[in-house]
């Protein structure tokens, strides 16, 4: 009825919400089309083989000191994990080898949104992680492992996120991280991995969006990132 009258919704809350969501979605599709256009102007080959479009959620970027309270809570949680034999089981393969070359450029563009979860799970350090460290150190005690992990904390970490997430990313070498850290692959990363498995030179336009705001946009190709400046989200100034 509303459509026949040429208005976007009938005024009912559910109808209004659906109409707003559709308008927002259409707005983002226009932003994506502009981003692809801009990328194609930079690289004319993309007109023949269009890039995949990937969407990321913004990662927290504000930093805060790693203070005594955080150190204490991590040490307490790690001791409890050892005592209880607690494990964060996570199936799969190490994403460093499971994904094609260049796929992890997406994580650099993202800034590690998934490491926010490490804040709530004490960096996923569990009985397995501590046990592996002990095995690699002639069976040294769990306290020595915990002391080593504490010594590796940066001076500052990303606000509210994992204690090991510094401004430039995780400070732990891969062999000291939990399986979940090395194996987790978010949907956009999997989509990029699939596209690169099909064509290792496939380009991607990556849009980091939050509600109506576009935080950043970039063209990814052959593991390189090129910013796409001047774009705005639907409803932002300049959109
Ligand atoms: S896995 Fe996904 S969420 Fe995590 S850093 Fe990479 S792109 Fe970001
Ligand atoms: S240990 Fe490293 S990879 Fe794992 S959640 Fe923390 S910062 Fe992220």
């Amino acid at each position: 009825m509303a459509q026949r009258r040429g208005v976007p919704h009938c005024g009912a809350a559910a109808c209004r919400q659906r109409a707003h969501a559709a308008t927002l979605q259409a707005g983002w599709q226009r932003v994506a089309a502009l981003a692809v256009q801009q990328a194609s102007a930079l690289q004319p080959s993309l007109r023949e083989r269009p890039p995949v479009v990937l969407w990321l959620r913004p990662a927290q970027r504000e930093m805060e000191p790693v203070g005594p309270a955080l150190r204490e809570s991590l040490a307490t949680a790690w001791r409890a994990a050892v005592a209880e034999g607690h494990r964060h089981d996570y199936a799969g393969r190490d994403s460093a080898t499971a994904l094609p070359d260049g796929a992890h450029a997406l994580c650099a563009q993202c800034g590690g949104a998934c490491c926010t979860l490490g804040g709530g799970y004490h960096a996923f350090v569990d009985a397995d992680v501590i046990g592996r460290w002990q095995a690699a150190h002639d069976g040294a005690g769990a306290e020595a492992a915990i002391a080593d992990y504490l010594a590796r904390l940066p001076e500052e970490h990303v606000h509210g996120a994992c204690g090991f997430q510094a401004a430039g990313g995780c400070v732990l070498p891969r062999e000291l991280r939990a399986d979940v850290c090395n194996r987790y692959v978010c949907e956009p990363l999997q989509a990029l991995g699939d596209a690169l498995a099909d064509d290792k030179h496939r380009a991607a336009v990556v849009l980091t969006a939050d509600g109506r705001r576009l935080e950043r946009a970039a063209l990814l190709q052959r593991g390189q990132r090129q910013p796409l400046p001047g774009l705005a989200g639907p409803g932002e100034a300049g959109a």
Side-chain angles (χ1 to χ4, degrees), residues 107-162:
C107 297
Q109 176 69 11
C110 166
C114 53
C115 291
T116 301
L117 276 178
Y121 288 92
H122 315 293
F124 300 104
V125 171
D126 60 9
D128 273 347
V129 172
I130 298 293
R132 274 203 296 265
W133 187 97
Q134 291 177 263
H137 293 81
D138 291 329
E143 278 305 317
I146 290 169
D148 185 50
Y149 275 90
L150 289 174
R152 291 173 185 274
L153 286 164
E155 281 186 13
E156 287 195 318
H157 75 125
V158 173
H159 174 71
C162 179

Side-chain angles (χ1 to χ4, degrees), residues 7-144:
V7 292
H9 56 78
C10 67
C15 190
R16 206 166 53 227
Q17 273 172 9
R18 262 198 309 277
H20 285 167
T23 306
L24 186 58
Q25 174 75 5
W28 277 117
Q29 291 312 319
R30 283 194 296 276
V31 175
L34 283 173
V36 170
Q37 224 174 58
Q38 198 181 119
S40 305
L42 290 170
Q43 287 205 29
S45 66
L46 298 182
R47 293 192 186 116
E48 280 159 36
R49 181 80 160 128
V52 289
V53 176
L54 302 171
W55 300 90
L56 294 176
R57 302 285 301 162
Q60 174 66 263
R61 293 179 199 281
E62 197 187 319
M63 304 299 291
E64 66 183 359
V66 173
L70 177 56
R71 291 174 165 280
E72 187 51 43
S73 87
L74 288 172
T76 303
W78 298 340
R79 279 186 195 112
V82 171
E84 293 158 16
H86 178 66
R87 291 175 166 80
H88 295 286
D89 290 332
Y90 200 83
R93 288 168 54 204
D94 191 322
S95 66
T97 49
L99 293 173
D101 285 350
H104 279 99
L106 185 69
C107 297
Q109 176 69 11
C110 166
C114 53
C115 291
T116 301
L117 276 178
Y121 288 92
H122 315 293
F124 300 104
V125 171
D126 60 9
D128 273 347
V129 172
I130 298 293
R132 274 203 296 265
W133 187 97
Q134 291 177 263
H137 293 81
D138 291 329
E143 278 305 317

